[in-house]
Amino acid sequence: MTYSTDLDMPSRLKRILCSSLMVTAASTQASDTSLQSQLQSMLDGDRTGACMAVATIDHGVKRAIACADPAAATKRKLDFDTAFEIGSISKTMTAVVAAGLMRDTELSLDTPISALLPTDTQVPDFAGQPIRLRHLLTHTSGLPALPSRMKATSLTDPYRKLTGNALLASLADVTLLQAPGESFQYSNFAMMVLSYALELHSQREFDALLSDYVFKPLNMQHSFTHDKPKGVHMAQGHSALTKPVSNWSFTPGLHGAGGVRASLNDMVRYALAHLSTVEDETTSLLRSTHTELSQVDGQRVAHNWMINRIGNTDYLAHEGGTGGFSALIALDTQRQRGIVILADTALTSLGGLSDYATALMDETAPAPQPRRELPAPTTLLTHLTGEYELTEANLRMRLWEEDGALKAQATGQGAFTLKYDSRGDFYPTSFDALLRPVETPQGLSFQWHQGGGIRMAQRVGAEPTDFTLPAEKLAEYVGIYPLMSGFSLTVAVTDDKLAIQGTGQAALTVQAVAEDEFWRGDVGAKFVFNRGPHGHVISVTLNQHGQIITGQKQ
């Protein structure tokens, strides 16, 4: 199967809604019973077996740990000082290191990255326009997601064999198709180049820089990269199939893309420092990374922080994912509020942690329900049976029903069985992936989720849909449709096509499949516009990933 070794990837029509928080000291250790109960209800009996350590900051700090198996927290020896892999949240710390060196040396956001690398490094440019530090910090460098010379054959420990020399040599394999800064493309490659370049420029190990600019000033004594401090307990990571997996490892100097391990208490210290209004050297440095640097392709980015606008408020957010862990941090710096979630299970293929964050911070949002194994509906198995092509993967997959279960086989690979869960998804029993059934204009199809990547399947031989609506008909749908607190869909007409934009997200053009019904395949979303007794459009219903939400037209 195809896979991606992205540590995390921002997804469209995905939101993190946060409620209010107030800065307090990070010393409280008691588990909050209400947060514990709320979190446990979302996890109890979940098929992933996941445990989560959570902190909410809202007029104080609340902490809790909950597991799919309530006894697992004790068995796994998890507490608020247990270290978890935080994946790409590490990038926000790399941004702090970069800001510190820009403050303390001659570096600036406009410094070409080539100035920090060995003179014989072949750094790509576009018509003489170089890649600068600001482009690496905003994922607008034009570098691909991964370096070409990784030598990774699986997700078990994909970055282990990547050396600094191989990383720099991979730059020579890149041809920029447009000027840096013109397009957003999330890139672990770019962040490892930045991490390594900062090490070379400062002539100090990146881990030492991380310690000096982040860990020591914030008293993060349970945070590290490869050398675990004495007395620190590291959580065991798991796949979404409950199987223990090995930790990811990075060559020293490349940890800036996702190599940090940290405890919940330390991440609370990190969050509170970002939210602090105290004027000192450390908090001022952290706040300097909040400045927006880029807004292209609908994605606003500060210094490695994704900026989501909900209502009238900007939220700084980042998710992280490795082979055995998931993590999330979201901050409202205007009102000093936020959330941190650390999980000992890789949940990227299942959509990550944003749904949990939303429910824990916004009481109006629907709470995710535990994923429990169920028998697959016979009619669903029948309708999925067929042969498909996975977009952009050059791969075919055949599905069929056998003994009441769904079987699948990709071209040139062995057949495997998929189980079914209460969220309506199928999942293999031998590797971490997800098959999500979705309705399309050509009938039932599916999305294939694996390793942070999502591929839409197209049924072989299906006739393309050529249904169109005139511009005057499309104009009837234009408007704003609030779906929940702080999140709306804005509908407009662009180039004779309907475009729908979620709050803080990029606008997506959608395909008409019938009057009042539209479809967007790559995000598995169907939009149905509803009319009142006089024939006017009064609301829209979004059907996506099993959730159905209706918003009235303003």
Side-chain angles (χ1 to χ4, degrees):
M1 308 304 298
T2 59
Y3 65 87
S4 163
T5 48
D6 287 354
L7 293 148
D8 68 78
M9 184 68 68
S11 62
R12 290 174 173 173
L13 290 177
K14 181 176 179 183
R15 64 228 175 256
I16 300 173
L17 307 178
C18 301
S19 265
S20 106
L21 67 97
M22 219 28 188
V23 177
T24 63
S27 57
T28 303
Q29 297 295 313
S31 180
D32 182 84
T33 54
S34 62
L35 179 60
Q36 167 81 29
S37 177
Q38 190 179 6
L39 184 59
Q40 188 63 54
S41 68
M42 301 179 194
L43 289 174
D44 197 29
D46 193 276
R47 67 170 175 82
T48 65
C51 291
M52 295 184 188
V54 176
T56 60
I57 309 173
D58 184 355
H59 298 284
V61 179
K62 297 178 181 178
R63 300 171 179 80
I65 296 175
C67 301
D69 173 4
T74 300
K75 294 177 182 176
R76 297 180 183 182
K77 301 179 180 179
L78 300 179
D79 59 32
F80 301 140
D81 284 324
T82 302
F84 293 71
E85 291 182 356
I86 66 170
S88 281
I89 295 178
S90 308
K91 292 178 172 67
T92 68
M93 299 178 183
T94 301
V96 177
V97 172
L101 290 175
M102 283 187 277
R103 181 193 66 188
D104 299 336
T105 71
E106 73 281 5
L107 290 185
S108 75
L109 288 170
D110 291 323
T111 300
I113 192 63
S114 58
L116 310 185
L117 301 176
T119 55
D120 60 349
T121 305
Q122 298 181 47
V123 182
D125 62 21
F126 182 84
Q129 300 182 59
I131 297 173
R132 304 181 187 275
L133 287 184
R134 66 170 61 248
H135 301 133
L136 298 182
L137 286 165
T138 56
H139 299 278
T140 59
S141 66
L143 296 179
L146 300 171
S148 56
R149 307 191 188 194
M150 272 184 59
K151 299 181 180 179
T153 57
S154 75
L155 288 176
T156 303
D157 193 3
Y159 296 96
R160 180 175 62 87
K161 295 182 179 180
L162 180 64
T163 65
N165 288 337
L167 178 75
L168 298 185
S170 297
L171 289 169
D173 299 332
V174 177
T175 299
L176 299 186
L177 302 179
Q178 56 188 329
E182 291 190 358
S183 180
F184 176 86
Q185 182 178 9
Y186 193 85
S187 175
N188 288 312
F189 183 10
M191 202 48 47
M192 284 185 283
V193 169
L194 176 60
S195 174
Y196 195 45
L198 295 177
E199 177 173 286
L200 294 174
H201 169 73
S202 65
Q203 298 183 338
R204 300 187 63 215
E205 291 186 356
F206 182 78
D207 294 351
L209 295 171
L210 197 60
S211 178
D212 286 349
Y213 283 111
V214 183
F215 297 160
K216 287 181 180 178
L218 301 181
N219 195 30
M220 296 172 66
Q221 298 183 19
H222 294 79
S223 300
F224 63 99
T225 52
H226 58 86
D227 291 330
K228 184 168 69 71
K230 185 178 180 180
V232 173
H233 169 60
M234 179 71 197
Q236 170 65 60
H238 301 82
S239 73
L241 298 173
T242 75
K243 298 177 181 178
V245 298
S246 60
N247 293 330
W248 278 8
S249 54
F250 295 80
T251 296
L254 310 187
H255 288 105
V260 173
R261 295 92 187 269
S263 68
L264 185 68
N265 276 340
D266 277 0
M267 289 304 298
V268 169
R269 294 183 179 95
Y270 184 64
L272 290 175
H274 274 284
L275 297 168
S276 175
T277 58
V278 174
E279 291 294 337
D280 62 30
E281 190 175 77
T282 298
T283 56
S284 295
L285 182 62
L286 294 177
R287 282 198 297 273
S288 72
T289 67
H290 302 171
T291 303
E292 183 175 338
L293 298 179
S294 172
Q295 185 175 356
V296 295
D297 296 335
Q299 179 64 62
R300 299 170 61 202
V301 189
H303 298 236
N304 264 335
W305 287 101
M306 305 301 156
I307 303 175
N308 299 323
R309 190 163 186 82
I310 309 297
N312 296 318
T313 303
D314 287 340
Y315 296 85
L316 302 175
H318 217 302
E319 286 200 63
T322 65
F325 294 87
S326 306
L328 176 147
I329 183 171
L331 304 172
D332 171 3
T333 59
Q334 294 177 352
R335 290 172 286 183
Q336 285 95 31
R337 55 186 187 173
I339 187 168
V340 174
I341 305 179
L342 306 178
D344 69 349
T345 301
L347 301 172
T348 301
S349 293
L350 279 67
L353 297 171
S354 63
D355 286 348
Y356 296 94
T358 300
L360 289 170
M361 299 302 291
D362 184 349
E363 61 183 14
T364 68
Q369 298 301 304
R371 293 176 176 271
R372 297 189 174 99
E373 182 183 343
L374 293 175
T378 302
T379 54
L380 184 58
L381 297 176
T382 300
H383 288 145
L384 281 172
T385 296
E387 188 170 358
Y388 300 82
E389 290 183 352
L390 297 184
T391 58
E392 302 178 6
N394 193 28
L395 188 71
R396 284 198 175 194
M397 184 182 294
R398 184 170 67 92
L399 303 181
W400 71 96
E401 183 272 335
E402 184 175 306
D403 297 329
L406 187 66
K407 301 281 285 190
Q409 184 171 22
T411 303
Q413 302 182 29
F416 56 92
T417 301
L418 298 106
K419 292 185 177 181
Y420 183 73
D421 69 24
S422 54
R423 299 270 193 100
D425 296 324
F426 292 88
Y427 58 100
T429 58
S430 54
F431 59 96
D432 189 7
L434 187 80
L435 187 153
R436 173 164 287 156
V438 293
E439 291 286 350
T440 75
Q442 292 79 35
L444 191 66
S445 185
F446 65 88
Q447 291 176 331
W448 183 258
H449 298 240
Q450 189 176 9
I454 302 176
R455 306 293 187 206
M456 187 65 201
Q458 296 181 346
R459 191 181 290 268
V460 175
E463 293 294 327
T465 299
D466 57 1
F467 188 88
T468 58
L469 290 171
E472 59 269 21
K473 178 64 70 173
L474 295 178
E476 297 179 9
Y477 308 115
V478 171
I480 298 175
Y481 302 79
L483 296 187
M484 63 176 65
S485 174
F487 187 82
S488 302
L489 297 179
T490 299
V491 180
V493 177
T494 304
D495 297 330
D496 294 329
K497 293 183 180 180
L498 204 66
I500 300 180
Q501 182 173 23
T503 303
Q505 323 245 325
L508 306 175
T509 58
V510 293
Q511 177 185 355
V513 295
E515 185 172 342
D516 299 339
E517 185 174 328
F518 296 80
W519 167 254
R520 178 73 186 206
D522 58 352
V523 297
K526 181 167 69 174
F527 304 87
V528 178
F529 291 89
N530 310 300
R531 297 181 180 271
H534 300 293
H536 301 301
V537 174
I538 60 172
S539 65
V540 66
T541 298
L542 167 64
N543 188 330
Q544 185 184 31
H545 302 166
Q547 288 192 330
I548 301 176
I549 308 175
T550 297
Q552 300 299 312
K553 185 177 182 181
Q554 287 187 341

